[in-house]
Amino acid sequence: MNAFDSLHAFTILHALLRDLDPLGPLQTSLETLLQRTAQAMGYRRMGVAIFDPKTNTISFDLFYGHHGQAKAVYTPGQGVTGQVVQTGQPIVVENMASDPRFLNKALGRPKEELHELAFVCVPIHRTTTQGTPEVLGVLSADIPRQERRSLDGHQAFLEVLAAVIARQTAYLQEAMAQKELWASMGFLGEASERAKALSQSKIVATSKAMSFVMGQVLQVAPSKAAVLLRGESGTGKELIAEAIHNASPRRDRPLVRLNCAALPSDLLESELFGHERGAFTGAVSAKKGRFELAHTGTLFLDEIGELSPEAQAKLLRALQEGEVQRVGSEKPITVDVRIICATHQPLEQLIKTGKFREDLYYRINVFPIFIPPLRERREDILPLAEYFLQWFCTEYGKTIKRISMPAIDLLTQYAWPGNVRELRNCMERATLICNEEAIRTYHLPPTLQTAESSATDIQLSFGEAVAKFEQELLIEALQRCRGNMLQVARDLRTSYRIIHYKIKKYNIDPKKYAKRQRGHPSSSSS
């Protein structure tokens, strides 16, 4: 297109928002978005560059229209890209060939083309937990030269698009940091199969705390060392155990699980070591124990603190000697088993009270891994919630597209005493009762609700409940549109006059959302 057409741009933006899959693969979703945007808007090229604060570099990781791979790397302040990251402000270059700020570093642009193109580069922001803006990277476009007023329109369009992809960019930045962590530990290259197996696990996490846990998993996986997983109930200890097994040389051998708290002590010994026919009443045939079933593989013992003293003694012998004896037999059976144990109990306190053997503790605590509770890694709440939403939508045949901003606020502010298990149950309930395109606050369990946040408080009249619902819709739309009331009216399919009236009625300040929500990392959930 030769000049900026605002109506055409908003039509394109609406189509992009409608079709954007916030739950899909990050890189694929963003590459598709760049391709569709460039083709629809007439851009010659587009790119997303990610800022790495550890190395203080900016590299183009996603692009469209560049021949070959975009290998350019900048530092803050270097070239147009570096200046945008350094200042957090957009830059418009009206003529690539004549602007000294434009460096054209190895991005495959022919020199004769530079006279024909302008360059628009805008920052991709997110708001930190302290409320301060943080630059994640930049979104840029090569545009056929046109009047400055038209280029300013493209700049505004790209700023909105940058806000839309801010959350995906944040996840991509975390993924890059995790990859660098694995590389620094030597887990890429020769050990890339372990990293690949780990990336294909069911673990959903973007926080630095869980990145550290994943690094520990990759460190211990190749060995036969016993692992002790510590953490509160519901934090995902069984998934971590599965990830260790899948990243180990034993991945093609059995992974056998046993919850020590699920069986009475008199049956637990038989489950662990097996029994011979006639060993006790009801033993009508011989049975292999979990140790034998896990031979050459991995045995995961959950709630290890629940073992009886007798079972602890026999487990210790099995670990020390590599042999087990079935109940009712004196014949030793040699086993080759890798042990992973898990507990939410303070084993050190159980040792002091005599309820847990100290020698067994040191035998299973060769490589301890602590899994932090969900309240200490709030960055993982939204990715987990979206993962569970997608899962249960498939399970129950629902077509829920997103989680509303007020609902996201409730999810991220809640303490989650039941950790990931409680969040999973919460999203299953919300999916079941939601008959809309978005999960809203009143779809969440009562434990998350407050009279202020819920439009279904039993003390509210019908009129008050409707008013609460209208306020939620308006606030969510204002956050999504960064305070632009005209765009809010379009999104809600009503007139600007009605939106203006409702905002005045409920005393909502659109300017507050224009400032606070610029580049909000969750804006792409719309």
Side-chain angles (χ1 to χ4, degrees), residues 338-353:
R338 200 259 181 86
I339 292 290
I340 302 176
C341 300
T343 183
H344 73 281
Q345 299 190 55
L347 295 184
E348 296 79 5
Q349 294 297 323
L350 296 182
I351 292 172
K352 290 180 180 179
T353 58

Side-chain angles (χ1 to χ4, degrees), residues 1-13 16 36-46 116-118 120 141-147 149-155 157-158:
M1 52 192 297
N2 295 325
F4 183 75
D5 184 337
S6 59
L7 180 59
H8 174 74
F10 279 122
T11 302
I12 296 303
L13 187 61
L16 292 171
R36 290 189 58 193
T37 303
Q39 292 174 349
M41 296 295 292
Y43 297 160
R44 194 73 57 86
R45 300 176 187 85
M46 290 192 73
E116 305 170 0
L117 295 174
V120 178
D142 292 9
I143 304 173
R145 287 182 59 188
Q146 46 202 267
E147 294 181 358
R149 182 178 178 182
S150 182
L151 291 175
D152 288 341
H154 287 288
Q155 174 194 315
F157 171 79
L158 291 173

Side-chain angles (χ1 to χ4, degrees), residues 16 201 232 330:
L16 292 171
S201 68
E232 297 178 6
E330 295 183 357

Side-chain angles (χ1 to χ4, degrees), residues 149 174 210 236 243 281 359 384 425 476 478 525:
R149 182 178 178 182
E174 290 289 348
M210 286 305 294
T281 303
D359 47 3
L384 282 165
N425 295 340
E476 177 191 344
L478 285 167
S525 66

Side-chain angles (χ1 to χ4, degrees), residues 32-79:
T32 301
L33 182 138
L34 292 181
Q35 179 182 358
R36 290 189 58 193
T37 303
Q39 292 174 349
M41 296 295 292
Y43 297 160
R44 194 73 57 86
R45 300 176 187 85
M46 290 192 73
V48 171
I50 308 295
F51 173 57
D52 184 352
K54 289 185 179 179
T55 61
N56 201 38
T57 57
I58 313 147
S59 59
F60 278 87
D61 294 275
L62 297 168
F63 48 89
Y64 169 77
H66 292 284
H67 300 293
Q69 290 195 337
K71 295 292 187 182
V73 176
Y74 298 85
T75 57
Q78 183 184 27

Side-chain angles (χ1 to χ4, degrees), residues 333-381:
I333 299 173
T334 301
V335 290
D336 173 18
V337 175
R338 200 259 181 86
I339 292 290
I340 302 176
C341 300
T343 183
H344 73 281
Q345 299 190 55
L347 295 184
E348 296 79 5
Q349 294 297 323
L350 296 182
I351 292 172
K352 290 180 180 179
T353 58
K355 295 181 179 180
F356 199 84
R357 295 179 63 108
E358 187 174 9
D359 47 3
L360 178 60
Y361 170 77
Y362 290 119
R363 176 66 66 174
I364 65 175
N365 194 37
V366 176
F367 196 99
I369 296 178
F370 175 73
I371 305 170
L374 193 54
R375 64 180 174 274
E376 294 181 8
R377 47 186 177 103
R378 294 189 181 275
E379 307 98 309
D380 293 334
I381 293 175

Side-chain angles (χ1 to χ4, degrees), residues 195-414:
K196 182 180 179 181
L198 192 61
S199 67
Q200 293 174 346
S201 68
K202 300 175 184 177
I203 299 170
V204 178
T206 61
S207 64
K208 292 181 180 178
M210 286 305 294
S211 292
F212 180 73
V213 170
M214 294 299 101
Q216 290 182 303
V217 167
L218 283 174
Q219 282 179 309
V220 76
S223 71
K224 192 185 174 182
V227 180
L228 179 60
L229 303 177
R230 309 290 295 266
E232 297 178 6
S233 294
T235 50
K237 295 186 288 293
E238 187 170 350
L239 283 180
I240 297 295
E242 185 177 332
I244 294 173
H245 173 76
N246 290 337
S248 75
R250 298 170 180 254
R251 67 176 70 90
D252 297 324
R253 308 303 299 169
L255 169 62
V256 179
R257 302 171 173 86
L258 177 65
N259 188 330
C260 300
L263 295 171
S265 57
D266 53 340
L267 292 180
L268 190 58
E269 185 179 343
S270 171
E271 282 295 323
L272 272 175
F273 309 114
H275 61 257
E276 295 292 349
R277 180 181 178 182
F280 52 84
T281 303
V284 295
S285 63
K287 177 185 175 181
K288 290 184 178 181
R290 301 299 174 98
F291 266 93
E292 289 183 71
L293 294 174
H295 181 58
T296 70
T298 304
L299 176 60
F300 173 57
L301 300 178
D302 200 3
E303 300 300 346
I304 190 71
E306 300 292 339
L307 282 178
S308 66
E310 296 80 9
Q312 289 179 36
K314 293 191 175 183
L315 175 60
L316 177 63
R317 181 179 181 278
L319 296 179
Q320 288 177 334
E321 306 296 334
E323 295 179 344
V324 296
Q325 285 184 352
R326 292 182 183 177
V327 177
S329 172
E330 295 183 357
K331 179 183 177 181
I333 299 173
T334 301
V335 290
D336 173 18
V337 175
R338 200 259 181 86
I339 292 290
I340 302 176
C341 300
T343 183
H344 73 281
Q345 299 190 55
L347 295 184
E348 296 79 5
Q349 294 297 323
L350 296 182
I351 292 172
K352 290 180 180 179
T353 58
K355 295 181 179 180
F356 199 84
R357 295 179 63 108
E358 187 174 9
D359 47 3
L360 178 60
Y361 170 77
Y362 290 119
R363 176 66 66 174
I364 65 175
N365 194 37
V366 176
F367 196 99
I369 296 178
F370 175 73
I371 305 170
L374 193 54
R375 64 180 174 274
E376 294 181 8
R377 47 186 177 103
R378 294 189 181 275
E379 307 98 309
D380 293 334
I381 293 175
L382 184 55
L384 282 165
E386 291 180 333
Y387 173 81
F388 291 135
L389 175 61
Q390 184 185 41
W391 175 272
F392 290 120
C393 280
T394 303
E395 181 78 12
Y396 298 121
K398 297 272 189 166
T399 56
I400 305 168
K401 294 183 178 180
R402 60 189 177 87
I403 305 172
S404 72
M405 288 299 301
I408 288 174
D409 290 339
L410 281 187
L411 290 171
T412 54
Q413 291 166 11
Y414 183 59

Side-chain angles (χ1 to χ4, degrees), residues 91-102:
I91 291 179
V92 175
V93 174
E94 297 184 55
N95 186 340
M96 289 185 182
S98 61
D99 196 314
R101 297 173 298 177
F102 189 76

